[in-house]
């Protein structure tokens, strides 16, 4: 089961094509399913300070929220419901949307946008930063492997952003933001049932291992 789960992590990587239109709409392909998101053009004016600090994070949250990120979030949550996505796939959908809308922004900017959207979705998320790079961890009781994690309470804070970076960082070497999370929704990695994709990308692979 754990091997199958990790295989799904590596297989389900979005294919994104960009289509910016005058009415502020982006379109991309999410595992064979066309997604269209409309947004307010003013959200592109959201800025990020040059230094990583608690004040920078809070200012970013206030600015992107005032620039109507809620409209995007509402559409993504509707897609989560319609496609029957688990939490991990919902996070990948958020990433694909942010990549398409803010395709010229830095990785730190995008990580902060992921943080805001997951926080507003009700998950317990934390920011970590190390050597001017941002990392995003989320609380879960699912046991996952090969991703940095830190034990806390009856579960772990798992660094979900490091999965997409070159090489993994060690969470113990990073500074954890003191901005508290007000949420308590547990994040679920495990894929208990298949999502409802209109034209799913199917690959067959063979695993060999010694048990």
């Amino acid at each position: 089961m754990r091997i199958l789960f990790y295989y799904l992590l590596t297989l389900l990587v979005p294919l994104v094509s960009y289509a910016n239109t005058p009415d502020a709409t982006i379109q991309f392909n999410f595992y064979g399913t066309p997604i269209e998101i409309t947004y307010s053009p003013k959200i592109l004016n959201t800025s990020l300070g040059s230094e990583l600090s608690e004040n920078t994070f809070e200012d970013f949250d206030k600015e992107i929220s005032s620039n109507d990120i809620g409209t995007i979030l509402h559409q993504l949550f509707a897609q989560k419901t319609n496609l029957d996505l688990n939490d991990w796939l919902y996070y990948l959908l958020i990433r694909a949307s942010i990549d398409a809308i803010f395709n010229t922004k830095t990785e730190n900017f995008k990580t902060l946008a992921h943080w805001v959207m997951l926080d507003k979705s009700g998950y317990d998320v934390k920011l970590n930063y190390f050597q001017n790079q941002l990392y995003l961890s989320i609380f879960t009781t699912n046991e996952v492997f090969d991703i940095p994690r830190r034990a806390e309470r009856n579960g772990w804070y798992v660094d979900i952003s490091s999965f997409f970076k070159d090489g993994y960082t060690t969470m113990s070497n990073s500074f954890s933001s003191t901005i508290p999370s007000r949420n308590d929704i547990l994040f679920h990695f495990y894929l208990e049932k298949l999502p409802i994709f209109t034209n799913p990308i199917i690959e067959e692979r063979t695993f060999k291992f010694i048990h």
Side-chain angles (χ1 to χ4, degrees):
M1 175 64 185
R2 289 172 179 171
I3 293 175
L4 174 60
F5 165 66
Y6 189 78
Y7 166 65
L8 290 171
L9 287 182
T10 58
L11 174 62
L12 296 177
V13 178
L15 302 174
V16 180
S17 59
Y18 305 110
N20 295 313
T21 58
D23 58 352
T25 299
I26 55 104
Q27 300 170 344
F28 59 91
N29 191 310
F30 189 69
Y31 302 104
T33 299
I35 303 292
E36 181 174 291
I37 303 293
T38 59
Y39 62 94
S40 170
K42 67 181 181 180
I43 202 169
L44 299 177
N45 298 325
T46 304
S47 60
L48 173 61
S50 58
E51 295 185 1
L52 299 183
S53 68
E54 306 294 287
N55 289 337
T56 300
F57 305 153
E58 292 180 329
D59 289 345
F60 182 91
D61 185 3
K62 292 176 183 177
E63 184 176 359
I64 200 169
S65 297
S66 66
N67 286 339
D68 202 21
I69 199 172
T71 298
I72 301 172
L73 189 60
H74 176 77
Q75 295 170 79
L76 293 181
F77 198 80
Q79 291 288 356
K80 180 182 188 297
T81 302
N82 295 337
L83 300 177
D84 204 10
L85 304 179
N86 73 340
D87 295 336
W88 174 255
L89 288 174
Y90 177 55
Y91 168 57
L92 296 187
L93 179 63
I94 289 175
R95 287 184 61 92
S97 302
I98 293 299
D99 282 345
I101 296 171
F102 299 108
N103 59 319
T104 62
K105 298 293 187 179
T106 65
E107 286 304 309
N108 281 345
F109 182 102
K110 294 175 184 178
T111 299
L112 278 176
H114 303 156
W115 168 64
V116 172
M117 300 189 81
L118 287 170
D119 178 71
K120 292 185 181 302
S121 296
Y123 300 102
D124 184 354
V125 286
K126 283 185 176 294
L127 287 168
N128 307 288
Y129 48 107
F130 177 68
Q131 295 182 344
N132 207 38
Q133 285 197 61
L134 271 175
Y135 299 88
L136 180 64
S137 58
I138 197 161
F139 187 76
T140 182
T141 55
N142 292 162
E143 188 172 11
V144 295
F145 304 90
D146 294 327
I147 302 180
R149 59 181 181 170
R150 184 181 67 250
E152 189 161 328
R153 303 194 301 274
N154 62 331
W156 300 269
Y157 276 103
V158 176
D159 188 342
I160 52 177
S161 60
S162 66
F163 185 83
F164 301 93
K165 298 179 185 292
D166 293 332
Y168 295 122
T169 184
T170 303
M171 289 181 68
S172 59
N173 291 337
S174 62
F175 181 79
S176 181
S177 171
T178 58
I179 299 175
S181 175
R182 302 170 297 277
N183 305 321
D184 57 7
I185 295 179
L186 291 174
F187 188 90
H188 292 91
F189 286 88
Y190 298 166
L191 189 65
E192 298 180 352
K193 57 182 177 179
L194 293 177
I196 307 172
F197 292 139
T198 57
N199 187 26
I201 302 171
I202 299 175
E203 284 188 32
E204 292 187 5
R205 296 187 181 182
T206 301
F207 290 95
K208 297 181 179 180
F209 58 94
I210 300 174
H211 180 62

